[in-house]
């Protein structure tokens, strides 16, 4: 879908974990095919207590969707490939308006 949107000359913002290099390469490749820049923003939560509380208290509102567990988050963190791309890193414990301003 993102490729179709880019083909129309519009901007794409994708919200994805992209924990492995192959997933990130797909975004770089797509951007290259369309001759547009790609920018990555990594959002982290520096406080594990806040992160777990938010995860466990979140209601996704998607029928039939499995709720991720804290154990699954910890497992994914261990498998997360190091970034090779320049990126903006935002901390989810920072207030939203400050993060939005930093990303603008």
């Amino acid at each position: 879908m993102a490729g179709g949107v880019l083909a129309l000359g519009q901007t794409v913002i994708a919200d994805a974990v992209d924990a492995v290099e192959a997933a990130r390469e797909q975004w770089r490749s797509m951007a290259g095919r369309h001759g547009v820049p790609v920018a990555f923003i990594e959002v982290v939560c520096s406080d594990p207590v806040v992160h777990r509380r938010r995860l466990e208290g979140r209601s996704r509102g998607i029928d039939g969707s499995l709720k991720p567990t804290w154990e699954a988050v910890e497992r994914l963190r261990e498998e997360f490939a190091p970034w090779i791309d320049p990126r903006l890193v935002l901390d989810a414990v920072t207030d939203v308006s400050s993060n939005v301003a930093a990303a603008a």
Side-chain angles (χ1 to χ4, degrees):
M1 182 187 303
V5 172
L6 290 174
L8 295 172
Q10 297 178 347
T11 300
V12 171
I13 298 174
D15 180 0
V17 173
D18 292 335
V20 296
E21 179 55 32
R24 299 169 194 161
E25 175 54 32
Q26 289 179 351
W27 294 113
R28 288 190 295 270
S29 178
M30 183 185 312
R33 286 193 307 273
H34 291 278
V36 297
V38 63
F40 292 105
I41 299 175
E42 180 183 11
V43 180
V44 300
C45 187
S46 63
D47 185 331
V49 173
V50 170
H51 189 177
R52 185 172 188 166
R53 185 182 72 236
R54 288 178 180 175
L55 175 77
E56 292 174 346
R58 182 172 63 184
S59 172
R60 297 181 75 185
I62 304 171
D63 289 338
S65 173
L66 295 176
K67 186 175 178 178
T69 65
W70 182 247
E71 291 74 23
V73 168
E74 289 181 318
R75 212 171 24 258
L76 182 60
R77 186 184 346 247
E78 292 171 6
E79 298 168 359
F80 203 89
W83 280 91
I84 60 171
D85 299 275
R87 69 202 181 286
L88 172 64
V89 179
L90 301 176
D91 193 331
V93 297
T94 302
D95 65 279
V96 172
S97 60
S98 295
N99 278 338
V100 169

